[in-house]
PDB file of all heavy atoms in Angstrom:
ATOM      1  N   ARG A  39      70.792  70.858 -99.105  1.00 97.00           N
ATOM      2  CA  ARG A  39      69.433  71.241 -98.719  1.00 97.00           C
ATOM      3  C   ARG A  39      69.309  71.184 -97.193  1.00 97.00           C
ATOM      4  O   ARG A  39      68.737  70.262 -96.623  1.00 97.00           O
ATOM      5  CB  ARG A  39      68.414  70.333 -99.399  1.00 97.00           C
ATOM      6  CG  ARG A  39      68.221  70.674-100.885  1.00 97.00           C
ATOM      7  CD  ARG A  39      67.444  69.589-101.567  1.00 97.00           C
ATOM      8  NE  ARG A  39      68.180  68.323-101.489  1.00 97.00           N
ATOM      9  CZ  ARG A  39      67.646  67.130-101.699  1.00 97.00           C
ATOM     10  NH1 ARG A  39      66.379  67.006-101.971  1.00 97.00           N
ATOM     11  NH2 ARG A  39      68.395  66.035-101.617  1.00 97.00           N
ATOM     12  N   LYS A  61      61.466  64.738 -70.522  1.00 98.00           N
ATOM     13  CA  LYS A  61      61.220  64.782 -69.083  1.00 98.00           C
ATOM     14  C   LYS A  61      62.452  64.222 -68.377  1.00 98.00           C
ATOM     15  O   LYS A  61      62.752  63.039 -68.483  1.00 98.00           O
ATOM     16  CB  LYS A  61      60.006  63.930 -68.733  1.00 98.00           C
ATOM     17  CG  LYS A  61      58.697  64.493 -69.238  1.00 98.00           C
ATOM     18  CD  LYS A  61      57.927  65.151 -68.102  1.00 98.00           C
ATOM     19  CE  LYS A  61      56.588  65.735 -68.549  1.00 98.00           C
ATOM     20  NZ  LYS A  61      56.729  66.869 -69.477  1.00 98.00           N
ATOM     21  N   GLU A 163      70.820  43.609 -74.890  1.00 97.00           N
ATOM     22  CA  GLU A 163      71.700  44.464 -75.696  1.00 97.00           C
ATOM     23  C   GLU A 163      73.122  43.921 -75.649  1.00 97.00           C
ATOM     24  O   GLU A 163      73.814  43.868 -76.659  1.00 97.00           O
ATOM     25  CB  GLU A 163      71.691  45.900 -75.163  1.00 97.00           C
ATOM     26  CG  GLU A 163      70.309  46.520 -75.138  1.00 97.00           C
ATOM     27  CD  GLU A 163      70.333  48.014 -75.428  1.00 97.00           C
ATOM     28  OE1 GLU A 163      71.403  48.552 -75.751  1.00 97.00           O
ATOM     29  OE2 GLU A 163      69.267  48.649 -75.323  1.00 97.00           O
ATOM     30  N   ASN A 170      77.790  40.169 -82.136  1.00 98.00           N
ATOM     31  CA  ASN A 170      78.413  40.901 -83.238  1.00 98.00           C
ATOM     32  C   ASN A 170      79.934  40.972 -83.108  1.00 98.00           C
ATOM     33  O   ASN A 170      80.657  40.908 -84.092  1.00 98.00           O
ATOM     34  CB  ASN A 170      77.829  42.314 -83.331  1.00 98.00           C
ATOM     35  CG  ASN A 170      76.528  42.335 -84.116  1.00 98.00           C
ATOM     36  OD1 ASN A 170      76.344  41.562 -85.051  1.00 98.00           O
ATOM     37  ND2 ASN A 170      75.618  43.214 -83.732  1.00 98.00           N
ATOM     38  N   ASN A 330      88.594  56.497 -77.877  1.00 98.00           N
ATOM     39  CA  ASN A 330      87.917  55.720 -76.834  1.00 98.00           C
ATOM     40  C   ASN A 330      86.931  56.613 -76.086  1.00 98.00           C
ATOM     41  O   ASN A 330      86.198  57.368 -76.728  1.00 98.00           O
ATOM     42  CB  ASN A 330      88.952  55.032 -75.932  1.00 98.00           C
ATOM     43  CG  ASN A 330      89.960  56.013 -75.335  1.00 98.00           C
ATOM     44  OD1 ASN A 330      89.725  57.224 -75.249  1.00 98.00           O
ATOM     45  ND2 ASN A 330      91.089  55.502 -74.921  1.00 98.00           N
ATOM     46  N   THR A 348      86.631  55.540 -48.461  1.00 92.00           N
ATOM     47  CA  THR A 348      85.508  55.530 -47.519  1.00 92.00           C
ATOM     48  C   THR A 348      84.250  56.077 -48.174  1.00 92.00           C
ATOM     49  O   THR A 348      83.153  55.589 -47.926  1.00 92.00           O
ATOM     50  CB  THR A 348      85.839  56.345 -46.255  1.00 92.00           C
ATOM     51  OG1 THR A 348      86.500  57.542 -46.659  1.00 92.00           O
ATOM     52  CG2 THR A 348      86.731  55.577 -45.318  1.00 92.00           C
TER      53      THR A 348
ATOM     54  N   SER B  22      89.193  53.827 -42.288  1.00 76.00           N
ATOM     55  CA  SER B  22      87.990  53.660 -41.467  1.00 76.00           C
ATOM     56  C   SER B  22      87.513  52.228 -41.572  1.00 76.00           C
ATOM     57  O   SER B  22      87.735  51.567 -42.585  1.00 76.00           O
ATOM     58  CB  SER B  22      86.912  54.635 -41.929  1.00 76.00           C
ATOM     59  OG  SER B  22      86.886  54.649 -43.332  1.00 76.00           O
ATOM     60  N   GLN B  98      63.645  55.093 -70.610  1.00 97.00           N
ATOM     61  CA  GLN B  98      62.500  55.924 -70.290  1.00 97.00           C
ATOM     62  C   GLN B  98      61.492  55.835 -71.439  1.00 97.00           C
ATOM     63  O   GLN B  98      61.881  55.676 -72.596  1.00 97.00           O
ATOM     64  CB  GLN B  98      63.107  57.326 -70.175  1.00 97.00           C
ATOM     65  CG  GLN B  98      62.290  58.366 -69.608  1.00 97.00           C
ATOM     66  CD  GLN B  98      63.146  59.584 -69.225  1.00 97.00           C
ATOM     67  OE1 GLN B  98      64.313  59.499 -68.824  1.00 97.00           O
ATOM     68  NE2 GLN B  98      62.535  60.736 -69.348  1.00 97.00           N
ATOM     69  N   GLU B 119      71.459  63.992 -95.988  1.00 98.00           N
ATOM     70  CA  GLU B 119      71.602  65.040 -96.999  1.00 98.00           C
ATOM     71  C   GLU B 119      73.081  65.356 -97.254  1.00 98.00           C
ATOM     72  O   GLU B 119      73.519  65.489 -98.396  1.00 98.00           O
ATOM     73  CB  GLU B 119      70.838  66.297 -96.537  1.00 98.00           C
ATOM     74  CG  GLU B 119      71.096  67.563 -97.341  1.00 98.00           C
ATOM     75  CD  GLU B 119      70.695  67.467 -98.822  1.00 98.00           C
ATOM     76  OE1 GLU B 119      69.945  66.543 -99.178  1.00 98.00           O
ATOM     77  OE2 GLU B 119      71.158  68.318 -99.612  1.00 98.00           O
ATOM     78  N   GLY B 275      90.600  61.991 -76.215  1.00 97.00           N
ATOM     79  CA  GLY B 275      90.576  60.612 -76.712  1.00 97.00           C
ATOM     80  C   GLY B 275      89.157  60.111 -76.913  1.00 97.00           C
ATOM     81  O   GLY B 275      88.949  59.044 -77.461  1.00 97.00           O
ATOM     82  N   LYS B 316      72.631  44.941 -82.215  1.00 98.00           N
ATOM     83  CA  LYS B 316      73.266  46.064 -81.530  1.00 98.00           C
ATOM     84  C   LYS B 316      74.773  46.033 -81.712  1.00 98.00           C
ATOM     85  O   LYS B 316      75.386  44.977 -81.818  1.00 98.00           O
ATOM     86  CB  LYS B 316      72.975  46.001 -80.025  1.00 98.00           C
ATOM     87  CG  LYS B 316      71.529  45.933 -79.642  1.00 98.00           C
ATOM     88  CD  LYS B 316      70.827  47.251 -79.599  1.00 98.00           C
ATOM     89  CE  LYS B 316      71.566  48.306 -78.832  1.00 98.00           C
ATOM     90  NZ  LYS B 316      70.849  49.594 -78.874  1.00 98.00           N
ATOM     91  N   TRP B 320      72.423  50.758 -75.860  1.00 97.00           N
ATOM     92  CA  TRP B 320      71.601  51.957 -76.068  1.00 97.00           C
ATOM     93  C   TRP B 320      71.776  52.582 -77.455  1.00 97.00           C
ATOM     94  O   TRP B 320      71.947  51.847 -78.413  1.00 97.00           O
ATOM     95  CB  TRP B 320      71.800  52.929 -74.899  1.00 97.00           C
ATOM     96  CG  TRP B 320      71.514  52.209 -73.602  1.00 97.00           C
ATOM     97  CD1 TRP B 320      70.308  51.676 -73.234  1.00 97.00           C
ATOM     98  CD2 TRP B 320      72.452  51.834 -72.572  1.00 97.00           C
ATOM     99  NE1 TRP B 320      70.440  51.019 -72.027  1.00 97.00           N
ATOM    100  CE2 TRP B 320      71.725  51.104 -71.602  1.00 97.00           C
ATOM    101  CE3 TRP B 320      73.814  52.049 -72.370  1.00 97.00           C
ATOM    102  CZ2 TRP B 320      72.328  50.605 -70.450  1.00 97.00           C
ATOM    103  CZ3 TRP B 320      74.411  51.557 -71.226  1.00 97.00           C
ATOM    104  CH2 TRP B 320      73.682  50.837 -70.279  1.00 97.00           C
TER     105      TRP B 320
END
Side-chain angles (χ1 to χ4, degrees):
Chain A
R39 284 168 299 163
K61 291 257 180 294
E163 302 214 6
N170 276 327
N330 55 21
T348 42
Chain B
S22 43
Q98 192 165 327
E119 169 62 16
K316 305 277 311 178
W320 305 297

